[in-house]
Amino acid sequence: MNFAVPPPFAEHNSNLLLAALPPQELAQVLPLLDPVTVEVGDILCEAGDPLRYIYFPHDCLISLMGVAEGRMTLEVGLVGREGMVGATVALGHETTQVRAVVQRAGSASRMDSACFRTEVARNAALQRVLYRYTDTQLAQAIQIAVCSRFHVLEARLARSLLVTRDRLQSDKFHLTHEFLAHALGVRRVGVTKAASALQHQGLIIYSRGNIEILDPEGLAAASCTCYEIVREVGAQPALSVM
């Protein structure tokens, strides 16, 4: 992780949660933010550890992993420019319940968690934005848990690829078999078979981790209904409090 050249005011606004704040409240938050760049595979926080920093992504993508016994994982959320990593600090938590892993490199605004806690306590506009966002994160995590228990891997992979597409606003992205196996809580061979099935149907091209979605509507049909639920919940705006 590296510190980037300080971005202009408008670049912080590329994060939709920050952009939802009234200008006066945002101006009070800006001095507390540090611009950083993150690389694929960076672990921004580990489950059970003290949460040192809060992250507001600009163009990066962060996977939130539930962890069991220190090694088994399942993706329970995906955070892009619409959200943040560390929202539970606003609810009084000092440790994180998930492992946050960078899925796509890019830039973010970072804030010390103690400063964030203080700012949330005094900034009613920030409280309202964060509480709405935390509610959507919980709803998504619940739906993903249900999906992981009851739906077949091929449909779950389709759902995961579509959610990634929505966050990145791109039909092309890079996800390795290993990463997808960790995200879906399965063995790599399972991901290989599911991806091959989707590719055989002409829905995607998948080679050496490079994914291209050829038929978004067809992929949505191959997915379970959980995709539509997760998409609709994730599309809920932070709702400007101006």
Side-chain angles (χ1 to χ4, degrees):
M1 185 188 311
N2 300 304
F3 283 91
V5 175
F9 180 92
E11 189 165 327
H12 283 296
N13 274 349
S14 64
N15 178 275
L16 300 184
L17 286 187
L18 294 177
L21 293 174
Q24 183 176 354
E25 280 73 11
L26 178 59
Q28 294 172 350
V29 171
L30 288 179
L32 305 175
L33 296 170
D34 292 318
V36 297
T37 56
V38 294
E39 303 297 335
V40 173
D42 282 353
I43 297 178
L44 304 185
C45 60
E46 184 61 83
D49 286 353
L51 191 61
R52 296 181 58 196
Y53 298 105
I54 309 302
Y55 294 87
F56 297 89
H58 300 161
D59 54 5
C60 58
L61 195 63
I62 313 299
S63 176
L64 304 181
M65 301 282 197
V67 182
E69 300 175 8
R71 58 186 181 84
M72 295 182 289
T73 59
L74 177 69
E75 186 176 75
V76 295
L78 198 59
V79 182
R81 64 189 294 262
E82 83 295 334
M84 63 176 291
V85 175
T88 54
V89 168
L91 304 177
H93 296 284
E94 295 186 358
T95 60
T96 179
Q97 298 130 320
V98 297
R99 175 185 297 160
V101 185
V102 178
Q103 181 173 312
R104 182 193 187 188
S107 60
S109 295
R110 189 177 77 172
M111 186 187 301
D112 178 83
S113 61
C115 292
F116 177 74
R117 191 176 294 109
T118 300
E119 186 63 22
V120 170
R122 69 160 202 84
N123 191 327
L126 182 58
Q127 288 177 22
R128 290 191 291 272
V129 167
L130 295 179
Y131 292 161
R132 288 170 184 146
Y133 177 67
T134 301
D135 186 59
T136 65
Q137 282 291 94
L138 177 59
Q140 290 182 72
I142 291 171
Q143 195 62 44
I144 291 172
V146 170
C147 181
S148 300
R149 172 63 180 85
F150 294 109
H151 296 146
V152 299
L153 181 55
E154 185 178 319
R156 291 170 55 204
L157 176 59
R159 182 259 301 162
S160 181
L161 296 180
L162 287 166
V163 171
T164 299
R165 173 183 181 266
D166 292 344
R167 293 291 191 273
L168 295 178
Q169 294 292 292
S170 174
D171 290 322
K172 297 181 180 181
F173 43 89
H174 185 84
L175 287 175
T176 65
H177 278 139
E178 182 177 9
F179 190 95
L180 284 169
H182 284 299
L184 296 170
V186 298
R187 296 166 58 194
R188 288 180 60 180
V189 65
V191 172
T192 300
K193 290 180 179 179
S196 296
L198 295 177
Q199 186 164 251
H200 182 71
Q201 296 172 56
L203 304 177
I204 66 170
I205 295 176
Y206 190 11
S207 177
R208 299 181 181 276
N210 295 312
I211 299 173
E212 181 178 359
I213 296 178
L214 302 176
D215 183 359
E217 292 184 358
L219 193 61
S223 176
C224 50
T225 55
C226 294
Y227 165 61
E228 289 297 332
I229 296 172
V230 170
R231 182 178 66 85
E232 289 175 7
V233 171
Q236 295 297 318
L239 298 177
S240 173
V241 293
M242 288 186 280

